[in-house]
Amino acid sequence: NPGMIYRPVRQGATLDWGRDLKVTVIWPPVDGILFLENKNRMKRDTPWHHLINANAIGLRVEFGETVFQIMGDIQEDYEAKFLLPKLPPEWRKVDVLLPCSHGIHATKEEAEFFRPKIAVGCCYEDGAPAGWSRTWADNLPIRAVYGAVGAEAYVSGIDGNVTVVSDGRKCRVETEFGKNRRTNPFRR
């Protein structure tokens, strides 16, 4: 895109998205991320993949009293070692959370750390890695993990497009398939 502006950002940077929004970069940290050895990863899941994910941008968007937090693609081992310990306590208050790694690797620690009212996992069955079950979206831990801390949890592969609408005080969720999750035409 010829009109695109590129600006490298790190934790603490602010973005101007209009007078009603306060947007803060919460990740990656100023000092960057080092490679974290993890022998439990699949062999095809290279260190480069994890370093790129570990440095993905996370954003905190404040609109009135409502806080949206987009955690980026950081994976659970990096999250536990680097992200959660580096976030200031005031960034724990979250109303709407797009969890780390699309919600694919949702952890009890992350859910208890943020305790959002709403959690949205962004993953579709068609994006499932080769050899994974066609019902993999049903088996993602996000609903159980976030449900255990009282959050409403949604998965785009089940609910379709998930839209959170806020007036700056309250939020409501609209899903493409409403209560008829099983009518999703993309499900086989």
Side-chain angles (χ1 to χ4, degrees):
N1 182 347
M4 182 172 67
I5 298 171
Y6 169 77
R7 178 178 142 204
V9 293
R10 294 282 190 222
Q11 188 178 60
T14 58
L15 304 175
D16 183 6
W17 286 8
R19 65 182 175 92
D20 293 334
L21 299 175
K22 179 181 175 188
V23 183
T24 307
V25 176
I26 61 170
W27 200 254
V30 173
D31 54 353
I33 292 291
L34 299 173
F35 175 67
L36 184 60
E37 185 67 39
N38 183 339
K39 296 184 186 323
N40 295 325
R41 287 195 194 111
M42 295 180 278
K43 290 189 191 270
R44 68 175 185 235
D45 208 355
T46 67
W48 305 114
H49 173 248
H50 285 273
L51 281 173
I52 290 169
N53 284 351
N55 283 286
I57 294 174
L59 297 175
R60 180 178 179 85
V61 180
E62 298 175 54
F63 174 56
E65 300 168 18
T66 303
V67 178
F68 294 81
Q69 202 145 288
I70 305 161
M71 299 306 297
D73 210 9
I74 188 170
Q75 308 242 344
E76 72 272 21
D77 49 353
Y78 284 90
E79 174 192 49
K81 176 130 175 116
F82 298 113
L83 182 122
L84 297 182
K86 289 186 181 239
L87 291 182
E90 62 270 19
W91 287 353
R92 286 183 175 218
K93 188 248 183 233
V94 175
D95 297 296
V96 181
L97 180 71
L98 275 67
C100 292
S101 193
H102 313 278
I104 294 170
H105 306 290
T107 64
K108 176 182 174 187
E109 293 76 20
E110 180 186 60
E112 289 177 349
F113 187 90
F114 293 113
R115 295 189 174 273
K117 295 173 186 159
I118 300 165
V120 181
C122 303
C123 30
Y124 285 89
E125 288 187 26
D126 287 345
W132 285 27
S133 163
R134 277 287 175 206
T135 60
W136 82 288
D138 282 327
N139 296 317
L140 293 176
I142 183 172
R143 290 185 293 160
V145 168
Y146 281 93
V149 297
E152 295 175 42
Y154 300 87
V155 178
S156 56
I158 297 169
D159 299 294
N161 293 326
V162 178
T163 303
V164 180
V165 179
S166 175
D167 63 4
R169 289 190 329 266
K170 296 180 182 174
C171 293
R172 68 179 160 74
V173 178
E174 299 171 358
T175 64
E176 184 176 8
F177 305 118
K179 302 216 181 283
N180 295 318
R181 293 174 155 188
R182 300 296 173 233
T183 63
N184 179 335
F186 301 107
R187 300 192 63 140
R188 295 186 177 102

